Amino acid sequence: MEPANLIKELQQRMPQQRFQHVLRVTETAKSLARIHGDSIEAAETAALFHDIAKFMDPEEMRKLLIAHEENPLLFEFHKELWHAPAGAIIAREEFGVHSEDILNAIRFHTTGRANMSNLEMILYIADMTEPARNFPGIDELRIRAEGPLDQAMRACITHTVTHLIGKQVPVYPDSIECYNYFVN
């Protein structure tokens, strides 16, 4: 699907505020892909799809994830995590995205994972550092995003895990494994 057609579809699936976030993440991902010598087209595709399932009905999302035999452990954690694997399923099933790298970037953009590809890191970092994000430490993360990808990812996953621990909420195992991978 051409990006222009996908953009029209996205506008219908999410509120305007979230749609604007998706466009900012897309521009950030394309910029990071340029800096890090990765595919700009792949970064654009992954970023456009990353939140496509964000506003699905939770019960419909649960059914989709179960039907596609996603890890049942997901359901023991906050439903906020569900939209990433659901988005990968939608990108593949409804829009014909077949690149495993793009699908994995969508799937792991909320949790991260050990041994991420460059594209996976680019989307995770872009989602976290897009221009409208505003939280303590964001300026440092934006600076790191332009340096070595593994170091930027380390800074981003450290920030995420620290934030979740500070809120005293469970941390999904993929995020812990991602943190452990990048700090070793």
Side-chain angles (χ1 to χ4, degrees), residues 100-163:
E100 284 302 312
D101 199 21
I102 291 171
L103 295 171
N104 283 335
I106 298 164
R107 176 177 306 282
F108 296 106
H109 84 269
T110 58
T111 61
R113 68 172 178 157
N115 201 26
M116 296 171 82
S117 72
N118 284 354
L119 180 61
E120 289 174 68
M121 290 187 281
I122 285 168
L123 182 56
Y124 187 99
I125 294 163
D127 190 29
M128 191 166 193
T129 63
E130 63 98 332
R133 296 284 196 201
N134 186 17
F135 53 82
I138 187 62
D139 293 332
E140 175 67 23
L141 293 178
R142 286 186 180 123
I143 291 167
R144 287 184 178 249
E146 296 185 9
L149 263 179
D150 59 337
Q151 291 177 24
M153 189 63 209
R154 177 183 178 164
C156 287
I157 193 64
T158 298
H159 184 278
T160 298
V161 171
T162 302
H163 174 73

Side-chain angles (χ1 to χ4, degrees), residues 2 12 16 25 38 42 52 55 61 75 94 97 101 103 115 117 123-124 130 132 146 155 158 184:
E2 289 296 315
Q12 296 172 8
Q16 184 64 19
V25 171
D38 213 61
I52 196 161
F55 293 93
M61 201 177 333
F75 305 120
E94 291 185 36
V97 175
D101 199 21
L103 295 171
N115 201 26
S117 72
L123 182 56
Y124 187 99
E130 63 98 332
E146 296 185 9
T158 298
N184 281 332

Side-chain angles (χ1 to χ4, degrees), residues 36-130:
H36 297 291
D38 213 61
S39 167
I40 295 167
E41 183 179 284
E44 178 179 42
T45 300
L48 284 171
F49 277 110
H50 87 280
D51 276 351
I52 196 161
K54 184 89 170 176
F55 293 93
M56 269 182 86
D57 174 73
E59 194 49 43
E60 291 301 311
M61 201 177 333
R62 176 189 288 275
K63 288 177 186 173
L64 179 71
L65 295 168
I66 290 169
H68 285 84
E69 300 178 349
E70 289 294 328
N71 187 345
L73 184 62
L74 266 173
F75 305 120
E76 296 177 26
F77 288 81
H78 195 280
K79 64 184 174 196
E80 177 66 24
L81 298 180
W82 302 358
H83 78 279
I89 293 166
I90 290 168
R92 184 182 65 237
E93 300 291 319
E94 291 185 36
F95 296 92
V97 175
H98 296 294
S99 163
E100 284 302 312
D101 199 21
I102 291 171
L103 295 171
N104 283 335
I106 298 164
R107 176 177 306 282
F108 296 106
H109 84 269
T110 58
T111 61
R113 68 172 178 157
N115 201 26
M116 296 171 82
S117 72
N118 284 354
L119 180 61
E120 289 174 68
M121 290 187 281
I122 285 168
L123 182 56
Y124 187 99
I125 294 163
D127 190 29
M128 191 166 193
T129 63
E130 63 98 332

